[in-house]
Amino acid sequence: MFSEKTLWLLLAIFSLNVAIALASDPDPIQDFCIPNPRFGAIKTAHAMHTILPCKNASEATIDDFVFSGMKATGNFSDTGLAVISASPTNFPGLNTLGMSFARADIEVGGINPPHFHPRATELVHVVQGKVYLGFVDSSNRVFARILEQGEVMVLPRGLVHFMMNVGDEPATLFGSFNSQNPGIQKITSAVFGSGIDEELLQKAFGLSSKQIGTMRKKFDPKTAR
């Protein structure tokens, strides 16, 4: 028989293992699962994962496992950023494998504003250019440096991170995520584009009503022109 102390220790270890198991996408239970276009996505009870029902494995082709959408640069935003993402919605072979991918191009002086991914750690590889890249931990400590071609940086899950092209040529980066649906929360949009009470924003940031209105016009999709 186990002692009471031993039982509590085993229970703690079991609870930790369960917590770790729920911290990422579930493991696949078949070789692959190519989404069946006849069905929509099914939300699980945890609302953390989106399951795309599989079609018959015999219907899969090599085209399901190859994505050609990153051969060219995407459309640039007003911050000088162009992003092309690969997820099960446009790259069927990724479904249930717990990963996704993205290409980011940044114009000279352009930025990828502070944001975070609530469901994934990101691994960034600088393919071309010179980029100031970093993240902020929960104690507000900044981990950042200039990365050059060939260097790789890991951005821990759920932490705010950012990028800026500090070179004299366009920069290209590739990012991989350990979730097929990492999610993205842009800080400025979350604060000024979500309808938070204006008085709270004034007190939190020391901004006037006019300044907050300007920020909302820029970041709120309902009012942005």
Side-chain angles (χ1 to χ4, degrees), residues 10 44 60 63 104 107 119 146 155 157 164 172 207 215 219:
L10 292 174
T44 66
D63 291 336
E107 296 176 327
R119 294 183 290 276
I146 295 175
L155 305 172
R157 171 185 170 185
M164 179 170 64
T172 300
L207 299 176
M215 296 296 285
F219 296 107

Side-chain angles (χ1 to χ4, degrees), residues 67-177:
F67 182 68
S68 301
M70 294 185 178
K71 294 192 293 185
T73 305
N75 298 319
F76 285 96
S77 67
D78 57 0
T79 64
L81 173 70
V83 177
I84 299 175
S85 299
S87 68
T89 56
N90 59 0
F91 189 1
L94 288 177
N95 192 38
T96 75
L97 299 185
M99 61 188 305
S100 51
F101 202 63
R103 168 178 173 163
D105 291 275
I106 310 177
E107 296 176 327
V108 175
I111 66 170
N112 189 352
H115 64 281
F116 66 93
H117 307 287
R119 294 183 290 276
T121 292
E122 181 178 3
L123 195 64
V124 180
H125 175 214
V126 180
V127 177
Q128 173 183 298
K130 186 181 296 185
V131 181
Y132 175 67
L133 177 61
F135 65 89
V136 182
D137 71 4
S138 56
S139 62
N140 289 332
R141 182 180 176 187
V142 177
F143 293 82
R145 57 168 286 182
I146 295 175
L147 269 64
E148 299 183 351
Q149 180 176 334
E151 294 190 289
V152 176
M153 184 173 185
V154 63
L155 305 172
R157 171 185 170 185
L159 296 185
V160 173
H161 53 275
F162 46 83
M163 306 171 190
M164 179 170 64
N165 184 346
V166 294
D168 54 9
E169 64 175 342
T172 300
L173 307 90
F174 284 96
S176 61
F177 305 87

Side-chain angles (χ1 to χ4, degrees), residues 2-34:
F2 294 117
S3 66
E4 182 177 352
K5 182 178 181 180
T6 301
L7 286 173
W8 278 111
L9 177 61
L10 292 174
L11 178 60
I13 294 174
F14 174 75
S15 299
L16 177 61
N17 287 334
V18 170
I20 293 174
L22 294 177
S24 60
D25 291 6
D27 289 331
I29 56 174
Q30 64 277 315
D31 291 342
F32 51 80
C33 171
I34 304 304

